[in-house]
Amino acid sequence: QSVLTQPPSVSAAPGQKVTISCSGSSSNIGNNYVSWYQQLPGTAPKLLIYDNNKRPSGIPDRFSGSKSGTSATLGITGLQTGDEADYYCGTWDSSLSLFGGGTKLTVL
Amino acid sequence: EVQLVESGGGLVQPGGSLRLSCAASGFTFSSYWMSWVRQAPGKGLEWVANIKQDGSEKYYVDSVKGRFTISRDNAKNSLYLQMNSLRAEDTAVYYCAHLEWLLFGSPYFDYWGQGTLVTVSS
């Protein structure tokens, strides 16, 4: 059971928009920045978003992040079949790193 | 180009030990926190341990405290994870990760290795 709660799965059609939520508490998300990771099947995780809403170089602006209080959200617009992956939120709590349980995105 | 290459995984019996290594290149290794993250088969990511640039601070997930030790050799640009008293539930792919920590921000993992599989079974 992860301290950060994500929906197990979400789905949407190609071209549509999807959001993935990540719920925490005041000691983790509430007082720290959130990052998001994409893990394509059989590969290592990849950083998508850091500091709540910043994208590393090379990450398309179809991916966005936001945070409000003790929750964070990853948004993906213009869905593509290549976006099918597991997505994880991450943050910090008293010198310890945390991950959400992960959300499987299916592009129908 | 940042590269992190793990090695040392394999099959080990319950109660046994294993030492993982991570060879880093493409950045100034001694200037960054480093981490180990694991993923059990079919499960999500689980952070395991972090180590400060000079090794003076180390943090662990509760489930490995007292059994695992993270360490580093800055002269060799290498990160290690000594795993003792291994249990079946330690079976996972273990990733070495570069921990970025910008001023006024929170730490995040911006580079990952390809992972090394550890299987604990009799």
Side-chain angles (χ1 to χ4, degrees), chain B residues 2-6 22-25 27 34 96-98 111-114:
Chain B
V2 171
Q3 283 200 318
L4 299 169
V5 180
E6 303 95 335
C22 171
S25 61
F27 64 102
M34 293 294 295
C96 166
H98 175 287
Y111 295 102
W112 300 68
Q114 85 288 349

Side-chain angles (χ1 to χ4, degrees), chain A residues 2 31-35 37 39 43-47 49-51 54 86 88 91-92 94-102, chain B residues 33 35 37 39 43-47 50 57 59-62 95 99 101-102 104-110 112-115:
Chain A
S2 301
N31 279 297
N32 292 282
Y33 290 89
V34 175
S35 52
Y37 305 87
Q39 188 176 32
T43 70
K46 174 184 176 182
L47 177 67
I49 298 287
Y50 67 96
D51 287 356
K54 296 183 174 65
D86 293 321
Y88 297 88
T91 191
W92 188 252
S94 302
S95 302
L96 307 180
S97 298
L98 298 174
F99 287 107
Chain B
W33 285 74
S35 305
V37 177
Q39 186 170 36
K43 302 298 184 182
L45 301 175
E46 180 183 39
W47 166 74
N50 290 340
E57 294 182 37
Y59 301 97
Y60 301 91
V61 67
D62 282 348
Y95 294 102
L99 192 64
W101 198 339
L102 301 176
F104 303 125
S106 297
Y108 56 90
F109 305 98
D110 55 350
W112 300 68
Q114 85 288 349

Side-chain angles (χ1 to χ4, degrees), chain B residues 50-66:
Chain B
N50 290 340
I51 185 169
K52 195 176 179 180
Q53 291 93 326
D54 61 0
S56 62
E57 294 182 37
K58 304 176 184 181
Y59 301 97
Y60 301 91
V61 67
D62 282 348
S63 59
V64 308
K65 279 181 185 176

Side-chain angles (χ1 to χ4, degrees), chain B residues 8-49:
Chain B
L11 175 63
V12 60
Q13 292 189 337
S17 299
L18 211 55
R19 188 197 195 206
L20 305 183
S21 299
C22 171
S25 61
F27 64 102
T28 305
F29 181 75
S30 60
S31 297
Y32 292 91
W33 285 74
M34 293 294 295
S35 305
W36 288 99
V37 177
R38 68 183 179 183
Q39 186 170 36
K43 302 298 184 182
L45 301 175
E46 180 183 39
W47 166 74
V48 175

Side-chain angles (χ1 to χ4, degrees), chain A residues 51-99:
Chain A
D51 287 356
N52 299 337
N53 54 19
K54 296 183 174 65
R55 283 176 288 106
S57 173
I59 301 300
D61 58 7
R62 299 189 299 107
F63 296 90
S64 64
S66 64
K67 189 190 102 167
S68 178
T70 59
S71 294
T73 302
L74 173 70
I76 311 173
T77 60
L79 276 172
Q80 303 173 1
T81 55
D83 295 332
E84 279 208 346
D86 293 321
Y87 292 84
Y88 297 88
C89 59
T91 191
W92 188 252
D93 187 342
S94 302
S95 302
L96 307 180
S97 298
L98 298 174
F99 287 107

